[in-house]
Amino acid sequence: MTKIDTSRPEHVLPTPSHTVGPFYGFALPFRGGEDIAPRGHPDTVTLHGHVYDGEGGGLPDALVELWGPDTRGVLPTTDGSMRRDPATGGHLGRNGVEFTGFGRVQTDADGHWYARTLRPGARGRSAPYVSVCVFARGLLVHLFTRIYLPGDEAALAADPLLSRLDTGRRDTLIARDEGNGTYRFDIRLQGEGETVFLEFQ
């Protein structure tokens, strides 16, 4: 074992820097986070995709948060995503009836995520969209983006955000329709096809 004389400043070595966290999978995910819409609701859609790093590899330790309005474009105020039992303090989860509009999903070993929610209604001048927040290793600050669903080209063309982007960048915000109410939306943190991220001030 090498001993270092710390009384002499020239002998003190700097501590190597490295990332030790955050460990998103430890405390942030919650049971049923992917089931945003009540089971069996006729307007349920499934959103899924991968979170990719700059080299195209899937991130197995990312979190995707989703917020969306109901089918009328109304933002819900229902508690339920992380309800607690007042007697035991245990996790109750959603009540299975009301739409909460919020979900949190951890990616799997391949970086894949999915969630079931209601097809969002339009709000204001915007085309219908679901808000997304991404947490992942290597990010000092979480990232915000949107998922627009295809189908209403006039609404997409008139959307204040989408209309400001060129076609290639715009397409990173529009999910791909896979049929039967299923839409694919991959999130690319950087590199070719990088997703458009939003900055709120």
Side-chain angles (χ1 to χ4, degrees):
M1 177 176 194
T2 304
K3 292 188 177 181
I4 298 174
D5 182 1
T6 57
S7 65
R8 298 176 58 191
E10 65 271 16
H11 289 187
V12 178
L13 302 175
T15 302
S17 63
H18 62 282
T19 302
V20 181
F23 302 105
Y24 294 120
F26 174 67
L28 290 179
F30 57 92
R31 187 175 67 248
E34 70 280 357
D35 290 318
I36 303 168
R39 289 192 181 274
H41 195 289
D43 295 314
T44 298
V45 295
T46 299
L47 305 174
H48 79 102
H50 286 79
V51 178
Y52 292 116
D53 62 19
E55 296 178 348
L59 292 181
D61 52 2
L63 279 180
V64 177
E65 285 188 351
L66 305 167
W67 301 276
D70 64 17
T71 56
R72 298 168 295 142
V74 176
L75 292 172
T77 57
T78 301
D79 291 332
S81 300
M82 296 173 272
R83 284 187 314 142
R84 297 280 176 186
D85 183 331
T88 67
H91 176 75
L92 285 176
R94 304 175 200 276
N95 64 19
V97 177
E98 296 175 278
F99 175 64
T100 65
F102 172 78
R104 182 182 291 151
V105 187
Q106 185 174 6
T107 56
D108 67 15
D110 298 318
H112 184 258
W113 64 273
Y114 79 93
R116 287 179 290 271
T117 188
L118 295 184
R119 178 181 295 279
R123 296 175 54 224
R125 296 172 40 230
S126 298
Y129 67 86
V130 174
S131 296
V132 180
C133 183
V134 182
F135 302 81
R137 62 179 146 99
L139 296 179
L140 298 179
V141 179
H142 44 276
L143 301 173
F144 295 97
T145 189
R146 291 178 177 178
I147 301 173
Y148 289 90
L149 299 184
D152 188 341
E153 292 307 315
L156 293 173
D159 182 86
L161 173 62
L162 293 178
S163 62
R164 294 171 52 195
L165 302 171
D166 63 50
T167 303
R169 302 292 288 144
R170 177 181 181 270
D171 289 346
T172 70
L173 296 179
I174 302 173
R176 190 172 71 236
D177 189 349
E178 295 185 327
N180 298 319
T182 301
Y183 298 88
R184 179 164 183 159
F185 185 80
D186 293 325
I187 300 167
R188 299 181 186 279
L189 300 182
Q190 58 182 186
E192 185 176 350
E194 177 183 330
T195 301
V196 170
F197 295 106
L198 309 176
E199 182 175 305
F200 296 97
Q201 297 180 355

